[in-house]
Amino acid sequence: HDSLTGILNWRAFQERLDYSLAWSARDRQPLTLAYLDLDDFKKINDTYGHAEGDNVLVAIATILTETIRATDTVARVGGDEFALLFPGTDKSGAEEVLGKLSQCLAQRLNSKGQRVTCSIGAVTFPLPPRSGDEAVSIADHLMYQVKHRGKGAIAYGVFDHATGKVIELAL
């Protein structure tokens, strides 16, 4: 577990991802992976100090944990990066849960007087990819597309196993 937030850390997330990919392959169920990065987090640390930055990270971990289903996974995978796994969840299900999650983050963080936004890349795998690293790379790439287009949004995609590319991309 991550010592600051109490949620899973990168290593535990990788184990959960490998398990979820195997489960998805066995049961032929979709799996959605979302990668979330806080926008301009360095400004919070520089303006208000690292203690306040830590408070924001803990608040975000709490909101994520409270918003997802018990069968889903949330982890802090980097300084201001989080990953979410949604087993048995297709693109429309992911859009629904991530829309709700994004709304909760905006309402609760802005009510505390903090203007915190995040960029999210979410990819649905109707069939699992070759590896967990490939899955993370694809979700991370989608998240960076959001960053380059102005931040504070969600990019959704569906991975086409036959071509090895993301299709049905929506920002």
Side-chain angles (χ1 to χ4, degrees), residues 63 100-114:
I63 294 164
K100 177 182 170 188
L101 189 142
S102 183
Q103 229 175 14
C104 287
L105 283 170
Q107 288 172 348
R108 291 189 44 196
L109 291 173
N110 290 338
S111 72
K112 294 182 177 186
Q114 301 163 326

Side-chain angles (χ1 to χ4, degrees), residues 16-150:
R16 187 74 56 93
L17 177 58
D18 288 342
Y19 175 83
S20 295
L21 290 172
W23 176 85
S24 177
R26 185 196 74 196
D27 290 351
R28 297 187 178 272
Q29 291 291 314
L31 170 75
T32 297
L33 168 64
Y35 210 79
L36 181 151
D37 185 79
L38 301 182
D39 298 323
D40 305 316
F41 184 69
K42 185 178 179 330
K43 286 183 185 176
I44 293 171
N45 282 333
D46 290 349
T47 305
Y48 303 106
H50 289 277
E52 185 58 26
D54 287 350
N55 289 338
V56 169
L57 293 171
V58 170
I60 288 170
T62 301
I63 294 164
L64 294 174
T65 303
E66 290 173 351
T67 306
I68 64 171
R69 304 169 299 189
T71 56
D72 299 333
T73 298
V74 62
R76 181 175 174 214
V77 295
D80 64 341
E81 297 174 342
F82 296 83
L84 301 138
L85 278 176
F86 304 105
T89 304
D90 61 12
K91 183 176 177 260
S92 64
E95 288 174 331
E96 183 178 326
V97 72
L98 288 170
K100 177 182 170 188
L101 189 142
S102 183
Q103 229 175 14
C104 287
L105 283 170
Q107 288 172 348
R108 291 189 44 196
L109 291 173
N110 290 338
S111 72
K112 294 182 177 186
Q114 301 163 326
R115 177 75 175 120
V116 180
T117 62
C118 58
S119 297
I120 302 172
V123 60
T124 298
F125 298 95
L127 297 171
R130 291 181 296 252
S131 70
D133 289 341
E134 181 181 23
V136 169
S137 177
I138 294 166
D140 187 52
H141 179 73
L142 288 173
M143 182 270 300
Y144 274 105
Q145 286 185 358
V146 173
K147 292 262 188 205
H148 292 296
R149 292 185 182 197

